[in-house]
Amino acid sequence: MFKISFSLAAGLILLSGCAHHRAEPRTLKIAVNEIYCTETACACVHDVASRSYDPFLNQLAETGIQLEFTYFIEPYQLEEALLSGQYDGVLSKPWLALRLQESAGADFERVADLLDPGNNGWLSGIVIVPADSAIQSLEELTGKRVVIGEAESYEKHQAALRLFETRKIKPTGIETRASCGENIGELLDGHADAAVISDYALSADCAVDFANPEDFRTLEHTEKIPLTSLMINRNKVSGRQVQQLKKSLLTLSGNPADEALLSKGFIAPVPWNPPELKETP
């Protein structure tokens, strides 16, 4: 776990009607688990996961927005942090936080989405088979063994199950594993006929240590969902602070790409309302 804080003496400047209103100075504590961040990614993928937030947080502080990032390498560490109630927000895959709202007593609002190094803001699961597999289509997985992700990994669990249901595919058995690496391992060891992994797994995940993209074929993608979002707990942070944060994030992002962020940075959050939640911000 790593912690970096950027603060200014000046308070947060907000607009109230036609008059300026100075809020009490406050630092928002943000828990971070992010694919391309060098502080949270495995060292084996630091050639592609080299994102640093320091310069951007310095720029953000100059606008009066003070954020303190605490980095968590493993998703379960992030989960423990959110359940502790110590944080005002989170930067991660949206589902990691949204699924914990009730347990954490939180109301997470997606303030902005973060683009990947290709300036893509979407994520999906991919259904893969070995390159030499006789299986050529998704429909052929009926009666086959499939391994998917666990419930905290939306793109390779809920989205995968919905894909199979929609296409009326009934594997002999569906097993779950905790990581893309484990899913790929089950496939390579012959314990599964197909595996569902995150679409970045063969280029920006620890699986690169033992798996080559050319050794697999993709049968299908699951539905697209937001890749990474900055979410703020509205039970702890005022609406005016949230709006000022969003405005500053979008103002500082754009063209040209931010070298440290590896992309153009933040964009307005794309709509996403997973049916597994009664209500999603």
Side-chain angles (χ1 to χ4, degrees):
M1 182 176 73
F2 306 89
K3 182 179 293 185
I4 297 179
S5 176
F6 293 85
S7 300
L8 291 183
L12 181 64
I13 306 297
L14 301 169
L15 289 178
S16 178
C18 296
H20 289 283
H21 171 74
R22 184 177 294 275
E24 291 296 323
R26 184 180 181 194
T27 297
L28 300 182
K29 298 177 64 177
I30 308 297
V32 180
N33 173 264
E34 194 264 299
I35 300 161
Y36 294 98
C37 173
T38 189
E39 301 288 2
T40 60
C42 177
C44 61
V45 291
H46 277 181
D47 57 329
V48 293
S50 57
R51 177 175 276 156
S52 171
Y53 291 98
D54 299 11
F56 190 83
L57 291 179
N58 274 322
Q59 290 181 310
L60 198 59
E62 291 176 2
T63 72
I65 304 293
Q66 306 169 47
L67 300 184
E68 177 183 285
F69 275 16
T70 302
Y71 299 98
F72 298 91
I73 296 176
E74 300 292 343
Y76 77 85
Q77 296 173 322
L78 180 75
E79 180 174 331
E80 292 173 354
L82 296 182
L83 292 175
S84 75
Q86 299 178 48
Y87 293 89
D88 302 301
V90 56
L91 180 65
S92 70
K93 292 181 179 179
W95 184 247
L96 287 176
L98 295 177
R99 62 187 285 269
L100 297 176
Q101 287 188 124
E102 185 174 349
S103 299
D107 178 13
F108 288 116
E109 177 178 341
R110 289 175 51 233
V111 175
D113 289 343
L114 179 62
L115 299 174
D116 73 6
N119 288 314
N120 162 65
W122 296 104
L123 168 66
S124 67
I126 54 176
V127 185
I128 62 171
V129 295
D132 59 358
S133 172
I135 298 172
Q136 298 296 319
S137 69
L138 194 70
E139 282 67 27
E140 292 175 59
L141 293 184
T142 289
K144 304 297 184 182
R145 300 163 299 172
V146 179
V147 61
I148 67 174
E150 295 187 340
E152 67 270 17
S153 300
Y154 197 96
E155 73 277 10
K156 55 181 186 280
H157 185 90
Q158 289 86 355
L161 294 175
R162 188 152 50 248
L163 174 65
F164 295 151
E165 181 180 5
T166 300
R167 299 279 284 270
K168 298 182 175 9
I169 295 164
K170 297 181 179 180
T172 298
I174 296 180
E175 296 188 8
T176 63
R177 296 292 183 271
S179 69
C180 293
E182 291 179 74
N183 289 9
I184 293 172
E186 291 292 293
L187 198 59
L188 293 175
D189 291 340
H191 298 155
D193 298 298
V196 184
I197 62 175
S198 304
D199 60 9
Y200 59 82
L202 293 172
S203 61
D205 186 81
C206 290
V208 301
D209 268 354
F210 63 90
N212 297 313
E214 58 268 23
D215 293 334
F216 306 94
R217 281 187 290 107
T218 298
L219 299 180
E220 190 61 88
H221 286 71
T222 64
E223 65 196 75
K224 289 184 177 182
I225 64 174
L227 173 64
T228 304
S229 295
L230 177 62
M231 294 157 279
I232 299 298
N233 184 357
R234 288 299 305 275
N235 290 341
K236 301 180 71 174
V237 182
S238 73
R240 288 190 297 182
Q241 284 178 299
V242 168
Q243 289 305 309
Q244 180 64 19
L245 172 59
K246 181 175 182 177
K247 179 180 178 181
S248 295
L249 289 172
L250 299 184
T251 298
L252 293 175
S253 300
N255 198 16
D258 187 307
E259 183 176 345
L261 288 183
L262 307 181
S263 71
K264 293 182 180 180
F266 292 89
I267 61 172
V270 297
W272 185 51
N273 291 284
E276 291 79 9
L277 294 180
K278 293 180 180 179
E279 182 178 349
T280 302

